[in-house]
């Protein structure tokens, strides 16, 4: 199954700044998924990143706030822009293992905005 | 739209006891996948067990088993002989059968195993 390396594992950022989170997969995958997990909450999908095309954003999430890059089949980045304390969350990337075997997740990035 | 509901925000049992976590879902799809994920304090999402909707047999993985009731749209997780390391958040999740699609998660159940 795919192994995902996600970094940074945590960061504390000043409001108004931006943070870029990286996910590297050890095998080629078509789609990568970015989730947000607010404190004490479940996971909510931010967007789906397809290599070679624009990411598809879920309702309530916009590209200007969460720009995503997907330069190749093994790598993706999510940027949290112009951060506010409300952006303090865990951010996770994920890939589909295929054939319904489930999804592999990165280890998550714990973001605190002060 | 698909939804997943976990009605137990928190549960607590003694070590070695059996515990059942509830999950219901709503979908108009006939073929789909259901999962239980575990998230310990390390926040790593770990796949516990998966179920294919077109299979009537309930999935089992060592101490973990499910009770899948397709008509009732119910997918509960039973943990037998619970261990301290089972302490975690547990999320029920759904995805349609076709293609690489997003997971829809339930709200989660915080399970504590007491010594």
């Amino acid at each position: 199954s795919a192994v995902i390396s996600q970094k940074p594992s945590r960061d504390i950022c000043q409001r108004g700044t931006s943070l870029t989170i990286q996910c590297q997969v050890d095998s080629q995958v078509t789609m990568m998924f970015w989730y947000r997990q607010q404190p004490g909450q479940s996971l909510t999908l931010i967007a789906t990143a397809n290599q070679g095309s624009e990411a598809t954003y879920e309702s309530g999430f916009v590209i200007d706030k969460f720009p995503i890059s997907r330069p190749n089949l093994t790598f993706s980045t999510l940027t949290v822009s112009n951060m506010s304390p409300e952006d303090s969350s865990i951010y996770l990337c994920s890939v589909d293992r295929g054939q319904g075997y489930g999804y592999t997740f990165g280890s998550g990035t714990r973001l605190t905005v002060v | 739209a698909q939804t997943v509901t976990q009605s137990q925000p928190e549960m607590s049992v003694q070590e070695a006891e059996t515990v059942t976590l509830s999950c219901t879902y709503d979908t108009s799809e006939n073929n789909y996948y259901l999962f239980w994920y575990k998230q310990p304090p390390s926040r790593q999402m770990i796949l516990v067990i998966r179920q294919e909707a077109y299979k009537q047999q309930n999935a089992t993985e060592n101490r973990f088993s499910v009770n899948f009731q397709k008509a009732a749209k119910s997918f509960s997780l039973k943990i037998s002989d619970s261990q301290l390391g089972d302490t975690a958040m547990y999320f029920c999740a759904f995805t349609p059968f076709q293609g690489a699609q997003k997971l829809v998660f339930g709200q989660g159940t915080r399970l504590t195993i007491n010594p």
Side-chain angles (χ1 to χ4, degrees):
Chain A
S1 60
V3 174
I4 304 176
S5 173
Q6 182 174 346
K7 57 184 180 183
S9 60
R10 61 177 63 231
D11 208 341
I12 300 173
C13 300
Q14 296 291 324
R15 67 174 66 204
T17 64
S18 298
L19 175 71
T20 295
I21 302 167
Q22 301 180 4
C23 278
Q24 177 75 50
V25 189
D26 67 349
S27 58
Q28 294 184 340
V29 293
T30 304
M31 290 185 177
M32 292 181 71
F33 303 88
W34 286 97
Y35 288 86
R36 181 177 73 180
Q37 186 178 22
Q38 294 178 300
Q41 303 293 314
S42 186
L43 284 75
T44 300
L45 183 67
I46 298 171
T48 302
N50 223 342
Q51 195 271 333
S53 63
E54 292 286 332
T56 302
Y57 288 83
E58 296 295 302
S59 175
F61 298 96
V62 295
I63 188 171
D64 289 347
K65 177 67 175 178
F66 297 101
I68 287 172
S69 78
R70 185 81 201 277
N72 57 53
L73 291 173
T74 64
F75 186 79
S76 180
T77 68
L78 169 76
T79 299
V80 186
S81 302
N82 188 25
M83 290 184 286
S84 66
E86 291 72 33
D87 294 320
S88 297
S89 295
I90 297 171
Y91 293 85
L92 301 106
C93 60
S94 175
V95 300
D96 182 8
R97 295 164 61 184
Q99 299 182 341
Y101 285 103
Y103 292 69
T104 299
F105 286 82
S107 54
T109 298
R110 184 183 294 275
L111 170 63
T112 302
V113 183
V114 297
Chain B
Q2 295 100 355
T3 59
V4 178
T5 302
Q6 294 177 249
S7 59
Q8 304 152 312
E10 295 187 27
M11 296 190 72
S12 178
V13 298
Q14 297 298 119
E15 192 176 8
E17 290 184 345
T18 295
V19 59
T20 299
L21 309 183
S22 301
C23 172
T24 59
Y25 59 94
D26 187 26
T27 183
S28 58
E29 303 278 345
N30 189 46
N31 291 321
Y32 46 87
Y33 297 102
L34 294 162
F35 307 94
W36 279 97
Y37 279 89
K38 168 185 177 181
Q39 188 181 40
S42 67
R43 71 177 179 268
Q44 178 70 56
M45 292 290 286
I46 302 166
L47 178 64
V48 174
I49 200 166
R50 60 184 278 271
Q51 175 79 43
E52 299 163 15
Y54 58 89
K55 288 187 176 180
Q56 294 184 340
Q57 186 174 3
N58 289 325
T60 300
E61 289 287 344
N62 300 314
R63 298 183 295 107
F64 300 87
S65 61
V66 298
N67 183 5
F68 173 50
Q69 301 289 329
K70 189 173 183 180
K73 296 181 180 175
S74 171
F75 184 61
S76 62
L77 174 70
K78 185 172 80 172
I79 305 174
S80 303
D81 186 25
S82 57
Q83 301 174 358
L84 297 179
D86 295 333
T87 293
M89 283 291 290
Y90 286 81
F91 293 99
C92 179
F94 166 100
T95 194
F97 184 75
Q98 294 293 336
Q101 301 202 35
K102 67 179 182 181
L103 282 170
V104 178
F105 286 92
Q107 305 91 324
T109 296
R110 183 176 302 278
L111 176 65
T112 301
I113 310 299
N114 298 307

